[in-house]
Amino acid sequence: PVVEQVSYDPRNGGAGIDYSPQGHLVYITGDSFSAERTVAWIEADGSTTPLIDELRDYARPRLSPDGSRLTLDYRTTNPSNDVWVHDLERGTTTRLTFADITDMAPIWSPDGKRIAFGSLRDSSVPNLHWKAADGSGETERLTESDLAHFPCSFSPDGQWLMYQEEGTGTDWDLFALRLETGESELFLKTESPEGGAEFSSDGRWVAYHSTESGRVEVYVRPFPSGGGKWQISTDGGGYPVWSADGTRLYYTNDDTLMAVDVSSEGATFRAETPVEVLAGNLLPESGFSRRYDVADDGRVVAVLESDHENAGEGPRTMLVLNWFEELKYRSR
């Protein structure tokens, strides 16, 4: 052993350690990444109201179409995540999936009857599956591919499921699965990664983020693919969410929630100047799914860092200068 107590993620093998060409070492302490987080409502003034008392590494909250339930995923047994459903009125959290393998990134069907998610069951990489939201019946596989698939959103009519695919040489690309036939159609594929795709409330537009400009920005394209493209964010942004009436787009820029008033006329889309909605409240987004959602009344539900004063001491970041010299000494 040359470095001990290094944090790692048993879900994907990632470790919190790196070193510079000059020989300096930096690492995060801890046995594993077990971030203690909370799920809460965030009001317009920035105040928060916790939704779930138990602290866990919650991820990817999504409100049901009627606003009565919340689905999210978190680790149930190392190293696997499961999909859970939280009843906002009763305050109960019910486990939806029980496979001894990761199920994650859940999203609701437009009628609220099904939940789609990415799963490693039956494959070596995540593919699309879905299950009845009330837990009845069996899990059904929707895609079969050697490439990773994660769901993004359903079209309002329930006919399409937009998902992102880990491409071969192009990073992440966007596809639309026609649920009636089980066939997928390419929506967007460029040399840059695309993700976070969300259908508008009328199904005519898709908002998504891409790094085509050199940094992550939010764009809108018509659906089906074709026509123009409009950049929504102006100073970086990702993980867009439409308002219920389709007149506003939300997105995150680091730990800040932004909003843009939008409108369309025929094949033309128009976006106003972005404004801050919540500054400094959110966890910076990462990976393939967002850490917040927006209710019909404009309130925000989000995964937040827990208060370490109450949760105990969190991990520490350690810097070791001239680590290469220590390695030389140990190798004698």
Side-chain angles (χ1 to χ4, degrees):
V2 291
V3 183
E4 299 187 35
Q5 292 186 323
V6 177
S7 235
Y8 71 97
D9 190 339
R11 292 170 294 186
N12 58 29
I17 188 169
D18 200 5
Y19 58 87
S20 72
Q22 293 75 25
H24 307 316
L25 172 75
V26 63
Y27 66 97
I28 301 172
T29 63
D31 294 331
S32 65
F33 293 139
S34 57
E36 292 185 320
R37 295 171 178 159
T38 184
V39 182
W41 285 113
I42 307 179
E43 306 296 338
D45 61 2
S47 61
T48 60
T49 304
L51 280 175
I52 305 176
D53 293 332
E54 189 173 7
L55 297 177
R56 288 183 177 272
D57 58 339
Y58 300 108
R60 295 166 280 272
R62 290 289 188 100
L63 289 162
S64 62
D66 64 2
S68 68
R69 292 168 292 170
L70 180 74
T71 187
L72 36 76
D73 68 73
Y74 58 84
R75 191 181 312 165
T76 305
T77 58
N78 283 341
S80 301
N81 276 36
D82 280 295
V83 175
W84 294 72
V85 177
H86 181 75
D87 189 309
L88 296 175
E89 296 177 359
R90 300 179 59 230
T92 57
T93 307
T94 305
R95 185 175 173 182
L96 183 70
T97 63
F98 292 84
D100 292 328
I101 199 162
T102 290
D103 297 323
M104 61 197 311
I107 64 170
W108 295 89
S109 63
D111 59 9
K113 293 182 178 180
R114 287 186 172 272
I115 294 175
F117 51 91
S119 177
L120 283 165
R121 64 183 74 199
D122 306 321
S123 59
S124 59
V125 295
N127 274 196
L128 301 184
H129 294 68
W130 68 358
K131 186 175 182 177
D134 62 5
S136 63
E138 299 297 323
T139 298
E140 180 183 352
R141 187 172 180 179
L142 298 176
T143 60
E144 295 188 20
S145 175
D146 294 331
L147 300 174
H149 291 169
F150 289 103
C152 295
S153 73
F154 285 90
S155 61
D157 59 12
Q159 295 184 16
W160 297 92
L161 172 56
M162 187 72 67
Y163 67 93
Q164 54 193 76
E165 176 181 277
E166 188 174 20
T168 54
T170 58
D171 213 333
W172 294 99
D173 305 310
L174 295 176
F175 287 80
L177 173 67
R178 187 187 292 270
L179 292 166
E180 184 178 2
T181 64
E183 297 179 352
S184 293
E185 298 183 11
L186 176 65
F187 177 72
L188 183 60
K189 182 176 183 176
T190 71
E191 295 181 356
S192 304
E194 294 90 23
E198 294 287 324
F199 279 102
S200 61
S201 56
D202 60 7
R204 296 180 54 230
W205 309 95
V206 172
Y208 65 96
H209 58 241
S210 171
T211 62
E212 64 179 58
S213 68
R215 65 181 178 188
V216 182
E217 300 280 6
V218 175
Y219 300 87
V220 165
R221 287 177 179 264
F223 182 84
S225 184
K229 174 188 67 175
W230 292 266
Q231 182 174 326
I232 305 303
S233 57
T234 58
D235 190 27
Y239 304 90
V241 176
W242 295 87
S243 64
D245 60 6
T247 62
R248 173 170 275 206
L249 264 172
Y250 299 89
Y251 65 89
T252 55
N253 187 352
D254 194 34
D255 60 355
T256 298
L257 182 66
M258 308 291 293
V260 180
D261 290 334
V262 296
S263 60
S264 62
E265 183 176 349
T268 301
F269 194 86
R270 178 179 176 83
E272 305 298 332
T273 303
V275 295
E276 286 189 2
V277 176
L278 294 168
N281 293 70
L282 303 177
L283 279 168
E285 304 286 357
S286 65
F288 44 79
S289 193
R290 63 180 190 256
R291 291 172 171 159
Y292 79 101
D293 204 0
V294 181
D296 290 351
D297 61 5
R299 288 190 302 164
V300 176
V301 61
V303 175
L304 304 176
E305 292 283 12
S306 64
D307 183 352
H308 284 305
E309 290 183 359
N310 297 324
E313 183 181 358
R316 294 180 296 166
T317 301
M318 309 297 292
L319 175 66
V320 182
L321 301 178
N322 302 313
W323 181 58
F324 284 176
E325 295 303 315
E326 181 179 344
L327 283 182
K328 292 177 184 178
Y329 176 80
R330 289 195 178 204
S331 64
R332 292 176 184 173

